Amino acid sequence: MSPRRASFVFASAFTLLACVATESRAQDPALQCQKAIEDGGIRYAQRLLREIDRCATAGAASMQTCLDAPATRSRLERNLPRWRERVATACTGVDVHSTLGYLDQCAPHDSPCEFATESVLAEGPRNDLVDCAQCRIDRQLHEVTDRLFAGVGAANGCRARIARPGVDLLEDQLRALTACVRRPDALSLAGCLSEPALQSTLTSAASAWRSAAAQGCPNVDPFSTLGYEPLCTGVEPPTPGFCSEGSPPCTLVAATRLDTTSPNDDLLDCLQCRVDETALAIARDVFGANLCCDEEGCRAVRTRRSCRASGGIPMHYQQSLLPGIPIGFPHGMAIAPDGTIWMPDRIQKTVWEYTPAAELRQWPIYPESPDAMTLDASGVPLLTSRESNVILRLEDGEWSVIALTGEPGHAGDGGPAREALAAAPVGLDFDSRGTLYFTETGLIAFAYQNAGISGEHVRAIDPIGRIRTVAGAGPVGTAGGGGPALLARLASPYGLAVRSDASILIGEAYGERLLDLDPGGLLAHRAGRPGSVLGSFSGDGGPAVLARFNGLEELASDREGNVLVADFRSGRVRLVDRLGSVITILGRDDGVGAFVPLEDGVPASLTWGGCPGGLAVGPDGRVYLGEGQFEVLRVLTRVPY
């Protein structure tokens, strides 16, 4: 057989196998069930958006009154029986929880949509998955409408110019996402939103909206004249340095103008954030954004359809508690290969050692306050003290300074680390060659020592004790996240983790970015949208580089290369996968500040996040979280839905 003929036969066979696989997937009951759920959900969202537009076109004095009118509800609910019938037919015999990744509970505590959803369909209202989907879509679109129209209506011309294009942008986003995720090659919501063509289209639409709103409302104060809330969610952003009591998405700083040239500080920034979040929230509910495990591991966040079609299993994290371990706002943890947990306790100025035999030992460190920890090749713990500007090692039962003089500053590169100056060292980790890396930040030094110390860096101490700077140009900033690390401007580098490929993960507490330093000295931007003064929260399910974080501090990397982030002030733990998606794995999605009792065996995404500080991945693959608000050590275990 000629090579050309052989190539043709191989290509034909491959095409045939692909067609058979496609046909098999098309006949998969679980995929047919998912299609019925998402088709009905997206149609319902589109109908509700049309009703919003109808109310706005009619110049309704109150959008909510118009949307709640019996005639409007009648039109919206006209096709609900058809949606339910299609789901009933397609989902017969399908366990939507284990095969597609739906949780049993519609929403967290204090949500308007909180009710049990163990069934896909059940007699009566507010008790099944379709009811849940309808309720969440209603809630999300009503809330964004209320914000876009300032809780009133479209009668005012300026308000209409602000609000109606915002509704159009939301509709465009949902339409574009729907078309993308239904392609056979689509993997995730983030993958779709990262496509250059789609990104360009949505960016242009958003720019046109902002320009038209600014031009259509000259010399208008939207707050005193139109009644817009200067705070995006009506919730004050949490003060830096303290964990949040609840951080709803888009908790930006108070706006004072309609539009400015800087990000995250005007009304249109706020409204665009709300529009983007609503589109993502509906897409997450309808299409899904779950960690998916297949034969190659649990390496990617995927839509329900994509995960199922690939033969994967949707996963989430289940919470369990290790009570009786004193925890005082830990900001760093270390776990030995045998499972021994080392936890710094800033409140009691001590370090706790918890062995696999459940033995608890205390290693006092007064007067220094301990921060991050790591273990050397012999299993001996080291830690940083940002208030004392030193690095210490446990030797013969006592903590001894092994690096830095204790004087804040930035000096000593090329010389002995013991004689060098550093400002507020925090993050700490070794690479496989025995080089010790740590972060230092003048911003935190200023906060704790009331001294104007500049310098935001990552530094390294080699095995013979010489120190050098490996990242950071000095002054505070967020420039240079895609070039030489020594030319980059950093904003409070805090958490640090060295991965198995020798790359170094860096989390910025105030720059709100996750950065990746490769062995060649290049810095890459992995997650976080810089520019926010106090940080915020947004972007779950979408591209990690567009997501907002609120105190991106401690980091850990699991065996598949996913990055776990303690998003401290938002009260969440988030996961950034290898393909660039971000999701929350612990912490509620509504940010309501009511007390929620902590329990064993509950999905971590439905529990209260508290103050996530110390974060580490154990040898068993479980995630260990030292959390200061409830003073418990949480263990997050990856389990199927």
Side-chain angles (χ1 to χ4, degrees):
M1 182 181 297
S2 69
R4 182 177 180 182
R5 175 64 176 165
S7 177
F8 174 76
V9 171
F10 176 79
S12 299
F14 182 82
T15 302
L16 178 61
L17 288 173
C19 290
V20 171
T22 300
E23 183 177 355
S24 175
R25 288 194 296 268
Q27 296 173 352
D28 182 348
L31 286 177
Q32 291 299 310
C33 172
Q34 173 62 23
K35 185 176 185 303
I37 293 170
E38 65 186 37
D39 283 353
I42 287 298
R43 287 197 185 100
Y44 183 78
Q46 290 170 337
R47 283 196 297 272
L48 182 47
L49 282 167
R50 286 197 294 270
E51 290 299 327
I52 292 170
D53 186 65
R54 184 191 65 79
C55 290
T57 302
S62 168
M63 294 294 291
Q64 296 303 331
T65 300
C66 181
L67 292 175
D68 291 336
T72 304
R73 297 308 308 173
S74 176
R75 285 191 296 271
L76 280 172
E77 295 172 3
R78 188 176 301 157
N79 292 318
L80 287 181
R82 185 181 181 189
W83 181 13
R84 297 179 69 86
E85 288 169 8
R86 289 186 173 182
V87 170
T89 300
C91 296
T92 300
V94 176
D95 185 339
V96 298
H97 309 295
S98 63
T99 61
L100 294 175
Y102 287 94
L103 283 173
D104 290 341
Q105 190 173 352
C106 182
H109 294 269
D110 299 334
S111 163
C113 298
E114 183 189 357
F115 50 91
T117 57
E118 295 182 359
S119 302
V120 181
L121 287 172
E123 293 294 331
R126 298 177 64 83
N127 62 4
D128 60 43
L129 190 145
V130 172
D131 293 336
C132 172
Q134 179 193 351
C135 179
R136 289 179 70 93
I137 292 169
D138 275 337
R139 173 195 174 201
Q140 289 148 1
L141 290 181
H142 276 252
E143 284 184 355
V144 76
T145 299
D146 187 64
R147 289 292 169 177
L148 283 168
F149 289 90
V152 192
N156 180 280
C158 176
R159 187 184 293 112
R161 289 183 179 91
I162 293 172
R164 294 191 64 184
V167 176
D168 293 340
L169 178 62
L170 175 54
E171 190 169 8
D172 289 344
Q173 289 180 339
L174 278 177
R175 186 183 300 110
L177 269 173
T178 300
C180 181
V181 299
R182 286 176 172 171
R183 296 198 322 247
D185 62 332
L187 299 180
S188 65
L189 302 177
C192 285
L193 289 171
S194 298
E195 291 185 355
L198 192 152
Q199 199 174 70
S200 176
T201 298
L202 295 180
T203 299
S204 296
S207 297
W209 164 42
R210 296 178 67 100
S211 177
Q215 293 175 8
C217 301
N219 303 318
V220 173
D221 182 344
F223 309 105
S224 62
T225 304
L226 302 179
Y228 282 98
E229 167 65 61
L231 288 165
C232 193
T233 57
V235 176
E236 288 279 358
T239 303
F242 297 90
C243 56
S244 171
E245 294 182 355
S247 180
C250 303
T251 310
L252 307 183
V253 296
T256 59
R257 295 174 58 187
L258 174 65
D259 192 22
T260 67
T261 56
S262 56
N264 300 326
D265 67 352
D266 61 52
L267 178 62
L268 293 179
D269 291 334
C270 166
L271 296 179
Q272 183 174 349
C273 182
R274 295 298 297 258
V275 166
D276 294 344
E277 277 301 288
T278 301
L280 262 180
I282 292 173
R284 287 196 307 269
D285 286 343
V286 174
F287 300 113
N290 299 325
L291 185 64
C292 181
C293 296
D294 56 24
E295 58 185 10
E296 296 182 352
C298 305
R299 304 191 306 169
V301 172
R302 305 179 72 153
T303 63
R304 296 187 182 98
R305 187 186 297 212
S306 170
C307 185
R308 177 67 180 181
S310 70
I313 300 173
M315 308 290 284
H316 72 287
Y317 286 80
Q318 189 176 78
Q319 172 183 274
S320 58
L321 308 175
L322 290 179
I325 302 175
I327 292 180
F329 281 89
H331 279 279
M333 293 173 58
I335 301 181
D338 68 353
T340 297
I341 303 171
W342 293 85
M343 295 168 291
D345 186 332
R346 289 182 50 79
I347 304 300
Q348 301 185 61
K349 296 181 182 295
T350 193
V351 171
W352 299 98
E353 178 189 9
Y354 184 72
T355 72
E359 297 173 336
L360 187 65
R361 300 170 185 161
Q362 184 177 8
W363 303 93
I365 192 173
Y366 185 83
E368 287 86 2
S369 293
D371 286 293
M373 299 193 67
T374 191
L375 304 174
D376 67 15
S378 302
V380 176
L382 290 82
L383 59 81
T384 54
S385 175
R386 67 189 182 208
E387 294 178 25
S388 301
N389 306 300
V390 292
I391 298 174
L392 303 100
R393 186 175 189 266
L394 186 61
E395 298 175 341
D396 299 324
E398 299 290 336
W399 293 100
S400 301
V401 174
I402 63 162
L404 310 179
T405 66
E407 181 181 349
H410 178 78
D413 274 0
R418 187 65 182 83
E419 300 174 7
L421 276 62
V426 186
L428 190 71
D429 204 1
F430 279 101
D431 69 11
S432 60
R433 297 181 179 181
T435 298
L436 180 65
Y437 295 88
F438 68 94
T439 59
E440 64 169 0
T441 165
L443 280 176
I444 289 181
F446 176 81
Y448 279 95
Q449 299 161 24
N450 195 27
I453 303 162
S454 64
E456 312 296 306
H457 306 92
V458 178
R459 302 176 81 178
I461 303 173
D462 67 22
I464 64 172
R466 291 175 303 190
I467 190 170
R468 72 186 194 277
T469 297
V470 296
V476 176
T478 55
L486 289 172
L487 300 180
R489 302 273 295 277
L490 308 178
S492 190
Y494 197 98
L496 182 146
V498 179
R499 298 201 288 178
S500 58
D501 63 359
S503 64
I504 302 170
L505 297 168
I506 305 160
E508 293 179 307
Y510 294 141
E512 312 299 349
R513 295 181 300 176
L514 170 64
L515 303 170
D516 195 339
L517 175 60
D518 72 17
L522 295 178
L523 199 64
H525 177 200
R526 288 285 308 277
R529 183 188 302 219
S532 177
V533 177
L534 298 178
S536 183
F537 167 77
S538 72
D540 267 3
V545 293
L546 299 180
R548 291 178 174 89
F549 289 79
N550 197 357
L552 194 158
E553 296 187 0
E554 292 302 328
L555 311 169
S557 181
D558 68 17
R559 289 175 292 191
E560 286 89 0
N562 302 306
V563 182
L564 292 309
V565 177
D567 198 3
F568 182 67
R569 289 189 296 274
S570 78
R572 295 169 170 91
V573 174
R574 302 172 80 179
L575 179 147
V576 178
D577 75 1
R578 295 161 59 105
L579 301 180
S581 290
V582 60
I583 56 173
T584 290
I585 63 170
L586 178 142
R588 295 158 47 193
D589 71 352
D590 60 352
V592 177
F595 178 77
V596 181
L598 299 183
E599 299 176 357
D600 276 335
V602 300
S605 61
L606 296 182
T607 192
W608 184 237
C611 301
L615 191 65
V617 177
D620 56 3
R622 296 191 296 174
V623 180
Y624 292 80
L625 174 66
E627 189 277 302
Q629 184 174 3
F630 297 103
E631 298 183 352
V632 295
L633 179 62
R634 307 196 201 194
V635 184
L636 309 182
T637 304
R638 202 161 54 198
V639 296
Y641 275 83

